[in-house]
Amino acid sequence: MGEMYGFGEGTAEDAGKAAYWLGKAAAAGNQEAPRSLALVQERAARKTEIAYYVAHFDGAAVAYAKYACARPAFPAVSTKNADIEAVNAAVRAWRDCYGRFADGLNGAMPVTKTIPPGLLKLMNNEEFVSAGALISATYSRIGADARRVAEQILAENEAWKGATDAYVAKNNQQLQAKLGTDALLYQRNQRELEEGRQASTARENAMKKTPSK
């Protein structure tokens, strides 16, 4: 009866009545009574902690904001290799940070891994069920909010990558065209030089064949 009053199981919680009945049980030689009384007293002393998990849990220990993941800044397009590498490095750093957040969130579940064991033993069944529902809902919200941020970043990354790839492809085409033009110009110059050399040689040979007067 003492534990029923102490934990509010099947009756209204009353620490005073719990202490009275458990004290009587201990005096009568019940060896479990002192341990139960200690639990009831500890529960009474930690009601604020229990209330946090039952009604006020916010998941701050695993929140995305706690990791301070730096959001990459995406220009409309990058035209220099150094700029492209800088953006890619920022994206890699963010992915690593997001991965740590996801590992932390997954590692906090199930509910029994979130509530400290020493506090878990002080909860009654109703409190445990309520805490489990609140913690699960909180983790779901934290995960959903973080996924929305991740989706935005990934969409921005794809837009930047598409624009940058298009610029690189166009620049490569222009470079190839210029190289082709330069090659044709080189070939023409070489041909003209060869034609000039041949013409000069022909003149020299003609002069050699002309008899001297």
Side-chain angles (χ1 to χ4, degrees):
M1 182 177 293
E3 281 199 16
M4 290 175 59
Y5 281 117
F7 281 76
E9 296 280 11
T11 185
E13 184 174 348
D14 189 322
K17 287 183 178 180
Y20 171 78
W21 287 110
L22 288 170
K24 285 178 68 73
N30 187 320
Q31 295 182 353
E32 289 296 318
R35 184 188 67 83
S36 296
L37 179 58
L39 283 176
V40 169
Q41 291 172 336
E42 185 180 0
R43 171 181 164 81
R46 301 181 70 181
K47 291 287 285 185
T48 299
E49 294 175 69
I50 293 173
Y52 167 71
Y53 289 98
V54 172
H56 308 294
F57 181 77
D58 58 6
V62 295
Y64 176 70
K66 176 188 174 184
Y67 291 81
C69 299
R71 183 165 183 152
F74 295 98
V77 61
S78 293
T79 60
K80 298 178 180 179
N81 287 336
D83 294 338
I84 293 173
E85 178 51 35
V87 173
N88 283 332
V91 172
R92 287 194 297 270
W94 170 79
R95 286 183 186 273
D96 289 343
C97 185
Y98 188 87
R100 291 191 294 274
F101 153 74
D103 289 344
L105 182 59
N106 291 331
M109 296 182 278
V111 171
T112 51
K113 294 179 67 175
T114 295
I115 303 173
L119 196 64
L120 193 60
K121 69 180 182 180
L122 302 177
M123 289 182 169
N124 62 34
N125 186 64
E126 183 180 353
E127 289 167 341
F128 176 73
V129 171
S130 296
L134 176 58
I135 291 169
S136 294
T138 301
Y139 284 161
S140 294
R141 175 182 54 77
I142 288 173
D145 289 347
R147 282 194 297 275
R148 279 192 289 272
V149 173
E151 288 167 0
Q152 292 171 356
I153 291 174
L154 293 176
E156 292 171 7
N157 181 52
E158 286 301 310
W160 165 79
K161 185 175 182 298
T164 299
D165 286 348
Y167 170 82
V168 170
K170 181 179 180 181
N171 189 62
N172 286 342
Q173 289 176 349
Q174 293 174 340
L175 180 60
Q176 290 295 329
K178 185 177 186 304
L179 289 174
T181 301
D182 290 346
L184 290 174
L185 181 60
Y186 173 79
Q187 292 172 1
R188 188 181 70 182
N189 289 339
Q190 290 297 105
R191 186 170 59 251
E192 289 177 350
L193 285 172
E194 180 60 22
E195 290 173 353
R197 187 187 66 77
Q198 291 177 356
S200 177
T201 300
R203 285 195 298 272
E204 291 177 359
N205 291 337
M207 291 178 65
K208 289 178 182 179
K209 293 179 180 180
T210 302
S212 300
K213 293 183 179 180

